[in-house]
Amino acid sequence: MISVPKGCKDVLPSRTPLWQYVEERARRTAERYAFREIRTPVFEHTELFARGVGDTTDVVTKEMYTFLDKGGRSVTLRPEGTAGVARAFVENGLQGGVLPFKAYYLCSAYRYERPQAGRLREFHQFGAELYGSAEPQADAEILCFAHAFLRELGLRNFTLKLNSIGCPSCRAAYQEALREYFRPRLGEMCEDCRARFGKNPMRMLDCKEEGCKAIAAGAPRVLDYLCDDCRAHFGEVQSLLRAAGVPFTVDPAIVRGLDYYSRTVFEFATDAAGAQGTLLGGGRYDGLLSQLGAKPTPAVGFGVGLERLLMVMEAEGAETPAPPAADCYLLGMDAPSRTRAFLLAEELRREGISCETDLMARSVKAQFKYADKAAARYVVVIGEEELSSGEAEVKDMRASRSERVKFGGLAQYLKGGKR
Ligand code: HAM
């Protein structure tokens, strides 16, 4: 038997209603904040992620699905949604259009990670990006949006951890302070951290090795190195959140695993079992668009993993939709009635009614059993007598009563006209 690739999951029909529900809430929240949907390719030139996400990140150095296409070009399955949106914005000249540009996406993403609960190789993200505003209001709107989305799904047990990692000018001093701190401790750190030390010491702060984590815990805090502008910006983001009633804690340990961030960074974390802690992450990335060839354009956004979201919703017992059921089941008692049931089902479907009829040559008893399992609200029974009278027996399974309804009046009856 051929199995699904490691780290990938099928979403079976029994689960898709839950996915559709989350996606529908995502779209609904996005529209409330006037973000419009954007769709970009599932693969991009490898260079986009190397340059955009950053060539010292785990995502780029270890986790990308990169291959040569038949033309010998190196392409990569997107490990996240942001870089593609940024490329599309620049390539389509959208910086010349109305700003701020506000877009959201629901997309699959691919990372070659060690699979475990909440960590997959193919996963799905809902994300939003806002381009063109450096104002703290833009950061605050993105944070309010992310918060509103999680609330919309009925989640309550999450915390927003907020930090600022400054701009390139204040970060230079911070990077130097980090090097000074880590230099005498390098011997006790992992090989990856030793490589990060030269290229980007901030990456050492989110190493997953226990020994490195313990050392990183004592490292200088970025907040102590912010320049006046970055400090004022961060202060303003916090006051807006307070005023909007979005609770948060400032957590200097949040540095994020992707290189493009500047100033505000954040994560929504949860304790729900198996969800890997971080549910949603994002921040400001004012340098990325110019790196991709645009004129300097400030940017801020968030991304949330849908698989993790579903795990947390289930762990929290959040309300989810009942699985959909057909409106009615048309039951034929003999061969001619079955044919009539089949044709009536077609007529009803044309009227927008969802219905099923027997496709398995089942006995009458087995058809009743099936209709019950399928949770059809109505069972329309057709037999010899009904064929000659032109009236079906309609059983309302919820109200446990039945009525005789002319074939021609079934659609109206089932739509509620006579209920
Ligand atoms: P990220 O923190 O790498 O940020 O990923 C965002 C979310 O995607 C995570 O919080 C998690 O829920 C989910 N996720 C990441 N990796 C996996 C995985 N292997 N399996 C399952 N879920 C996963 C970004 O991707 C940024 N693009 C977010 C952003 C948008 N920043 C600004 N704009």
Side-chain angles (χ1 to χ4, degrees):
M1 193 195 64
I2 298 172
S3 56
V4 71
K6 197 170 165 185
C8 299
K9 276 196 176 156
D10 300 312
V11 180
L12 300 178
S14 57
R15 297 273 297 169
T16 44
L18 197 56
W19 280 79
Q20 288 165 352
Y21 168 78
V22 170
E23 288 160 3
E24 189 271 321
R25 293 290 156 121
R27 292 181 193 285
R28 192 200 285 188
T29 317
E31 259 135 49
R32 222 180 284 151
Y33 284 84
F35 281 64
R36 310 289 173 224
E37 186 179 3
I38 185 165
R39 299 185 188 196
T40 63
V42 81
F43 62 89
E44 297 272 359
H45 293 297
T46 302
E47 198 194 342
L48 173 69
F49 303 115
R51 268 212 271 162
V53 174
D55 53 14
T56 61
T57 61
D58 277 0
V59 169
V60 170
T61 54
K62 301 181 189 164
E63 297 168 3
M64 294 210 303
Y65 276 92
T66 297
F67 55 96
L68 292 180
D69 69 8
K70 289 189 197 302
R73 286 169 291 259
S74 178
V75 292
T76 295
L77 299 183
R78 64 180 162 221
E80 51 102 56
T82 306
V85 175
R87 185 214 30 82
F89 176 80
V90 177
E91 189 170 351
N92 291 287
L94 302 182
Q95 48 189 326
V98 179
L99 295 178
F101 168 81
K102 305 205 288 188
Y104 79 90
Y105 48 87
L106 283 156
C107 71
S108 58
Y110 303 84
R111 294 185 192 179
Y112 193 81
E113 294 204 75
R114 191 141 31 89
Q116 46 184 273
R119 198 197 287 162
L120 294 155
R121 291 184 174 172
E122 182 188 64
F123 62 100
H124 297 81
Q125 284 190 336
F126 167 47
E129 316 292 349
L130 189 160
Y131 296 165
S133 170
E135 298 303 314
Q137 279 78 3
D139 310 53
E141 181 167 298
I142 279 288
L143 281 157
C144 288
F145 175 177
H147 178 260
F149 171 57
L150 299 181
R151 298 278 304 179
E152 178 80 28
L153 290 174
L155 300 183
R156 298 294 176 263
N157 300 319
F158 58 83
T159 47
L160 165 56
K161 298 178 186 172
L162 193 63
N163 192 21
S164 173
I165 55 170
C167 62
S169 71
C170 43
R171 201 151 349 130
Y174 179 55
Q175 301 258 36
E176 218 19 70
L178 281 180
R179 285 207 180 90
E180 247 168 64
Y181 171 80
F182 282 124
R183 193 169 288 116
R185 298 168 173 87
L186 269 182
E188 302 154 53
M189 302 191 77
C190 73
E191 204 178 304
D192 284 345
C193 276
R194 288 202 289 274
R196 290 166 184 146
F197 178 83
K199 286 189 187 162
N200 184 357
M202 267 178 72
R203 282 275 74 78
M204 299 167 82
L205 298 173
D206 63 2
C207 181
K208 288 158 193 134
E209 298 283 329
E210 286 307 321
C212 300
K213 265 196 205 165
I215 295 173
R221 299 297 169 101
V222 64
L223 289 176
D224 299 328
Y225 291 81
L226 293 187
C227 64
D228 291 347
D229 282 354
C230 286
R231 192 180 305 283
H233 185 274
F234 190 43
E236 188 56 24
V237 173
Q238 293 177 59
S239 6
L240 286 164
L241 289 178
R242 270 189 216 103
V246 174
F248 65 90
T249 53
V250 172
D251 184 345
I254 302 292
V255 290
R256 307 281 299 133
L258 314 172
D259 273 353
Y260 45 60
Y261 293 108
S262 53
R263 291 194 161 174
T264 315
V265 285
F266 56 84
E267 288 180 359
F268 284 77
T270 151
D271 301 331
Q276 301 283 325
T278 306
L279 187 55
L280 182 153
R284 181 165 276 289
Y285 50 100
D286 292 345
L288 180 64
L289 291 157
S290 55
Q291 223 177 305
L292 300 177
K295 59 178 190 237
T297 307
V300 58
F302 75 79
V304 52
L306 299 189
E307 285 82 358
R308 286 190 199 172
L309 206 51
L310 290 173
M311 287 179 79
V312 177
M313 285 170 67
E314 280 165 332
E316 276 199 27
E319 210 173 300
T320 51
D327 297 326
C328 98
Y329 182 88
L330 289 112
L331 188 149
M333 300 184 71
D334 53 20
S337 315
R338 260 199 169 74
T339 305
R340 193 61 209 255
F342 178 85
L343 296 174
L344 270 174
E346 269 310 281
E347 275 172 36
L348 293 176
R349 287 168 185 146
R350 273 179 222 133
E351 294 289 331
I353 293 165
S354 116
C355 46
E356 275 201 277
T357 185
D358 178 47
L359 303 176
M360 307 287 288
R362 287 195 167 107
S363 68
V364 171
K365 193 172 159 206
Q367 286 188 64
F368 266 116
K369 216 163 147 190
Y370 177 85
D372 185 47
K373 261 202 208 141
R377 166 85 194 266
Y378 295 98
V379 177
V380 176
V381 182
I382 303 165
E384 206 178 331
E385 196 190 318
E386 286 76 15
L387 277 187
S388 63
S389 69
E391 277 184 357
E393 186 192 354
V394 181
K395 290 181 181 292
D396 181 337
M397 304 306 276
R398 229 181 280 162
S400 307
R401 58 156 197 252
S402 54
E403 245 179 282
R404 296 192 77 79
V405 180
K406 285 223 171 307
F407 290 163
L410 273 173
Q412 204 196 350
Y413 181 87
L414 295 172
K415 279 186 194 168
K418 287 200 181 165
R419 251 177 275 159

